[in-house]
Amino acid sequence: MGQILSAMQAYANVMWASLTGPARPALAGHIHPKIRALMDGYQGVPRQVSTSASIQQLQKVQNMRDLAEVCSGIAPGRILRSACPTSANQQDVDIIRQKLKITHLVDLRSTYERSEDPDNLLVKNAELQVSKRQGSMTQMEKFEPVGEQSAHSGLTIHHLSLIERSRYYKAILLKIPFATSAYALAVMPFDSFKGKSAIMAEVNKGGLPMLYEMILETSGPEIKCALEVITEAAEAGEPLLFFCKIGKDRTGVLAALLLSCCGAKPEEIIADYHRSDSVIQEIALGGLEKEDKELNQIDQAVFSKAPAEVMAATLSHLEDAYGGAAAYLQSIGFTKEQQQRLAKALAVPISSQ
């Protein structure tokens, strides 16, 4: 037995030497030449719409914008994105509820992140709907508001997590090279930190493109459910805000799919994503970055940014792996007819309904 363990340790040492050689570029995704050309030639200056002035008056809520600012196929005030709005002060609450008329919040954060929420002015009296995955389907469970009713009641929160611990780690094991997995399994009994560090090195090499690929591959039921919630709200003429912790990664992936449904050009989707680059420079991986010490090795310079190249790589991945965003949505059960319904509903000005 001792000889076997020694052999495993020797193998681990060889693998470690090979894995700690020259690093690959952080950006792992391939970018189609046509998308690269569009990206290089687009300045990404958002247009001003009727909601823009109100959004600019927010004091605590960050990274908010109306998707109509980048896509002419969406009517202003229908669908907005932001960082987590639970930090809203009274002025922000008044803007969100009275000026922007938001009646639905789609919260893409993890269970862990939501558990850290303090009591806040925006959501304390809201109706709550929490997603529950059953096999390949996601259903919403409804909970009545808790607490005294206030002038800000009438808000519904839909919790649909796009990053959870079990899904995240399973996805990593499927994404990293087999040699790294073999090395990690061999070295873990002797040095768990070294084994996990090898995995984290691959995570850093894959960067944000790999993270977004994992979200697309493991959170299909939640993405489908989120788009169905957005469609129902849009058809009812009820403005909706969707968000994650910093409004960049999970929010950026859902925004890209939404914008694709509404006829946005690739360069417009890239420009919308890139607007987050200079707003909040933090890492948010569903709380995993706080729970697991090995995730402290995540490259801050890679995961805290929102480079245009990352969304270009994500759009290219959708083309390579699925045949485009529309085909991806069909693969997760959000049909062509549903996509058309969503686009039609978001194109109608609220005053027309």
Side-chain angles (χ1 to χ4, degrees):
M1 184 65 175
Q3 291 179 336
I4 294 176
L5 292 175
S6 296
M8 289 177 66
Q9 181 67 71
Y11 170 73
N13 290 335
V14 171
M15 289 298 297
W16 176 253
S18 67
L19 291 167
T20 53
R24 296 198 306 256
L27 182 60
H30 164 71
I31 302 177
H32 280 299
K34 64 178 182 180
I35 293 179
R36 167 71 72 181
L38 291 170
M39 182 182 67
D40 290 342
Y42 189 70
Q43 298 300 315
V45 178
R47 64 190 183 120
Q48 294 291 297
V49 297
S50 58
T51 56
S52 299
S54 294
I55 292 171
Q56 291 165 9
Q57 294 171 10
L58 292 168
Q59 295 180 335
K60 297 293 185 180
V61 180
Q62 297 181 290
N63 208 15
M64 184 182 288
R65 51 192 176 271
D66 191 325
L67 292 189
E69 292 178 348
V70 74
C71 179
S72 60
I74 297 176
R78 304 310 312 270
I79 181 80
L80 292 84
R81 57 175 289 182
S82 74
C84 179
T86 58
S87 60
N89 60 16
Q90 189 60 57
Q91 176 174 314
D92 290 352
V93 171
D94 292 340
I95 291 171
I96 292 170
R97 297 289 286 121
Q98 296 177 17
K99 291 186 176 180
L100 299 176
K101 308 293 185 183
I102 298 296
T103 55
H104 293 271
L105 299 175
V106 172
D107 185 349
L108 306 175
R109 295 175 303 156
S110 70
T111 304
Y112 176 88
E113 288 171 314
R114 294 197 301 268
S115 71
E116 290 194 318
D117 264 354
D119 292 335
N120 60 85
L121 293 170
L122 179 61
V123 303
K124 63 180 180 180
N125 294 311
E127 176 186 283
L128 177 63
Q129 295 190 6
V130 180
S131 66
K132 182 178 181 181
R133 187 185 285 206
Q134 296 179 341
S136 60
M137 301 294 290
T138 292
Q139 298 179 340
M140 301 299 292
E141 293 187 352
K142 183 177 178 180
F143 297 86
E144 295 299 326
V146 177
E148 297 180 2
Q149 294 297 310
S150 72
H152 299 297
S153 61
L155 183 69
T156 302
I157 307 172
H158 311 265
H159 284 163
L160 286 150
S161 174
L162 296 194
I163 295 180
E164 290 290 345
R165 172 188 288 271
S166 60
R167 299 204 304 265
Y168 180 78
Y169 284 118
K170 288 178 182 177
I172 286 177
L173 291 175
L174 292 174
K175 281 289 184 184
I176 63 176
F178 175 77
T180 306
S181 299
Y183 165 77
L185 291 173
V187 78
M188 208 76 76
F190 312 101
D191 191 335
S192 62
F193 182 79
K194 184 179 284 188
K196 292 178 181 179
S197 294
I199 293 174
M200 290 311 304
E202 292 295 337
V203 170
N204 285 329
K205 291 174 184 177
L208 288 170
M210 188 171 82
L211 173 63
Y212 297 172
E213 289 175 20
M214 291 194 296
I215 291 174
L216 291 167
E217 292 165 7
T218 64
S219 298
E222 287 74 25
I223 291 172
K224 174 178 180 287
C225 190
L227 292 173
E228 290 172 344
V229 168
I230 292 169
T231 302
E232 290 177 7
E235 290 180 334
E238 298 170 346
L240 180 146
L241 171 67
F242 65 99
F243 62 91
C244 54
K245 183 176 180 181
I246 59 178
K248 177 175 76 75
D249 302 318
R250 290 160 284 186
T251 299
V253 170
L254 184 60
L257 296 171
L258 244 168
L259 288 166
S260 293
C261 274
C262 295
K265 300 174 183 177
E267 59 267 34
E268 293 172 330
I269 297 171
I270 293 167
D272 177 66
Y273 170 79
H274 186 53
R275 288 179 68 181
S276 297
D277 192 63
S278 59
V279 180
I280 305 177
Q281 296 189 359
E282 298 179 19
I283 293 177
L285 295 175
L288 297 174
E289 72 282 1
K290 295 181 179 180
E291 291 184 285
D292 298 341
K293 64 179 182 180
E294 286 77 18
L295 288 177
N296 289 334
Q297 301 175 54
I298 282 184
D299 191 334
Q300 293 274 341
V302 170
F303 284 88
S304 64
K305 301 284 189 177
E309 291 85 358
V310 167
M311 184 49 65
T314 301
L315 296 178
S316 295
H317 172 73
L318 286 167
E319 288 289 341
D320 291 338
Y322 303 97
Y328 166 77
L329 292 174
Q330 290 184 62
S331 76
I332 64 172
F334 195 68
T335 66
K336 183 178 180 180
E337 291 72 22
Q338 287 177 301
Q339 295 175 45
Q340 292 170 344
R341 278 179 55 199
L342 174 59
K344 181 179 179 180
L346 288 177
V348 179
I350 292 176
S351 59
S352 300
Q353 294 183 318

